[in-house]
Amino acid sequence: MTNKEKSAELVSKWVHVFSCPVCNSPMKVVDLKSLICLNNHTFDFAKQGYVNMMTRSVDSHYDKKLFEARQKIIMESNLYKPLHAWVANVIKEHLKLIKGPVMVFDAGCGEGSHLQRIIAECKNEAITGLGLDISKEGIRMAAGNYEDSIWLVGDLANSPLADHSCYVILNILSPAN
């Protein structure tokens, strides 16, 4: 199974969390290729396993070199280890009250390393990660490195997520309001 198909299957399980960024209607996965809303706004899965849900083009100032350096610091040093452990402990405490699967959303996830570390630290198979960033380069890198989460290119100001769809929202290193 390709990364594109694996991603589409995972999104199919969580399709209820999506809302069309154009018209805010619910979405569905079609033929393991596209996310399509009731009004036929279509967002295709990329071969790398992410979905670009931007409704306009943007010039991100974040490039591949920045994301590679950021990933190296997050994944190869202990700089953020106390933060990841603390956030994971907070999530684990609250999960004691929840039955069933839980979505953890990283708003402005960059290349996905913070989300990946926190989910790994939680050690709970009921958790699925969802990372969103305006930078296509960051999301492409996240999808290439971490296949067990959902990765979206999107705009936080025009979120492709339904209200109240995620149990946890992270915002680490993102300049978003």
Side-chain angles (χ1 to χ4, degrees):
M1 186 176 285
T2 67
N3 287 344
K4 180 178 181 174
E5 292 167 332
K6 288 178 196 172
S7 179
E9 277 195 352
L10 181 58
V11 168
S12 292
K13 294 175 186 173
W14 289 94
V15 74
H16 63 279
V17 307
F18 292 92
S19 174
C20 178
V22 177
C23 66
N24 295 316
S25 65
M27 304 194 80
K28 63 182 176 181
V29 174
V30 176
D31 298 328
L32 296 181
K33 292 180 182 177
S34 304
L35 257 175
I36 301 176
C37 77
L38 298 174
N39 293 312
N40 287 324
H41 298 118
T42 303
F43 303 90
D44 294 330
F45 288 87
K47 68 180 177 181
Q48 297 89 348
Y50 66 89
V51 182
N52 188 337
M53 299 189 77
M54 290 294 294
T55 57
R56 59 184 173 81
S57 64
V58 294
D59 182 24
S60 173
H61 300 294
Y62 303 113
D63 63 9
K64 186 175 183 176
K65 288 169 78 172
L66 176 131
F67 288 118
E68 288 171 343
R70 178 175 146 165
Q71 181 184 39
K72 183 175 176 136
I73 290 169
I74 294 168
M75 298 305 276
E76 296 178 17
S77 77
N78 289 325
L79 181 64
Y80 290 100
K81 188 174 182 166
L83 173 69
H84 298 149
W86 184 82
V87 171
N89 284 334
V90 170
I91 292 170
K92 288 189 285 190
E93 264 312 298
H94 289 282
L95 284 182
K96 292 176 185 176
L97 307 172
I98 303 295
K99 301 284 188 240
V102 172
M103 177 64 68
V104 175
F105 171 48
D106 189 353
C109 67
E111 41 53 69
S113 297
H114 283 301
L115 179 61
Q116 187 64 29
R117 284 280 192 199
I118 290 166
I119 290 173
E121 186 80 24
C122 285
K123 298 176 180 92
N124 187 324
E125 291 181 13
I127 297 174
T128 298
L130 189 156
L132 179 134
D133 202 280
I134 203 165
S135 171
K136 188 175 185 179
E137 194 62 52
I139 293 298
R140 183 180 289 135
M141 193 171 170
N145 290 319
Y146 315 116
E147 294 179 6
D148 294 334
S149 292
I150 296 169
W151 302 106
L152 306 174
V153 178
D155 188 350
L156 290 174
N158 189 25
S159 175
L161 302 177
D163 290 345
H164 309 288
S165 59
C166 300
Y167 184 73
V168 176
I169 299 174
L170 304 172
N171 187 257
I172 305 169
L173 298 179
S174 174
N177 259 330

